[in-house]
Amino acid sequence: MISHPLAFMRLPYDLLVALDSRMFHFWMQPVHYLVRLVHILAMAVFFGMDVLFDLSLMRRDYRAERAIVARLTFWWMHWLFAVTMVSGVLLFFYDPVHIGSRGYLSPKLLLMTLALINAAICHNRLYIPALRGQAVSLVRARTGAGISLALWTGVIIMSCLNSEGVPKVFLRG
């Protein structure tokens, strides 16, 4: 049963069943919604800071402002990403069969991996000079920041598509 074009990327069901632990599920059950709240808030703030940082990198000749934005967001982005990842892993292992069976989880993980590869490539060439207020190539800045924006936006879109089923249309006759 294929419900969308990326369904072929779904994680194997046998793997998801092997990862399922009822002990962990019952241990985390009392704090599940708290972990979920932390995950959503950390992810939202991380994404907002990433958008702000990337948009500042795409501007022309605003080195001082870019350095201020970079200094304000860079450290927090690292910590918020770590909180988002840890809480996301906890939520996945809370119910791996249910979460892993969703069709947009694998594309989301792929986009996250590509975004991290982009961040690793841009770190020394783009992000560190921005922190220092140094000049960076506008083409390089716009390319790296544009790719970052596109990939992280894709992660958010896949998360939204993954959270609920397709809305049902009620036909009236």
Side-chain angles (χ1 to χ4, degrees), residues 17-78:
V17 170
L19 294 173
D20 196 7
S21 167
R22 291 292 98 190
M23 184 181 292
F24 181 75
H25 182 86
F26 289 125
W27 172 80
M28 196 171 130
Q29 195 167 18
V31 295
H32 171 258
Y33 286 102
L34 182 61
V35 173
R36 198 162 141 194
L37 175 72
V38 167
H39 180 73
I40 292 170
L41 289 175
M43 177 273 311
V45 176
F46 166 79
F47 181 65
M49 287 185 162
D50 183 64
V51 168
L52 179 67
F53 182 62
D54 288 338
L55 290 177
S56 75
L57 287 172
M58 295 174 119
R59 295 185 67 184
R60 178 188 308 265
D61 296 331
Y62 291 97
R63 279 191 262 163
E65 292 85 352
R66 185 182 306 138
I68 291 169
V69 170
R71 288 184 188 124
L72 286 173
T73 60
F74 209 63
W75 183 84
W76 284 104
M77 284 173 49
H78 285 86

Side-chain angles (χ1 to χ4, degrees), residues 24 27-28 32 35 85-95:
F24 181 75
W27 172 80
M28 196 171 130
H32 171 258
V35 173
M85 290 303 294
V86 168
S87 59
V89 168
L90 290 173
L91 290 171
F92 175 78
F93 283 109
Y94 175 71
D95 193 0

Side-chain angles (χ1 to χ4, degrees), residues 46-55 57-58 74 77 81 111-123 126-127 140-156:
F46 166 79
F47 181 65
M49 287 185 162
D50 183 64
V51 168
L52 179 67
F53 182 62
D54 288 338
L55 290 177
L57 287 172
M58 295 174 119
F74 209 63
M77 284 173 49
F81 180 75
L111 288 172
M112 283 174 46
T113 303
L114 293 173
L116 290 173
I117 290 169
N118 181 59
I121 291 169
C122 292
H123 190 268
L126 190 59
Y127 301 155
R140 182 181 289 169
R142 286 187 175 172
T143 302
I147 291 170
S148 175
L149 276 173
L151 291 172
W152 286 116
T153 301
V155 170
I156 298 298

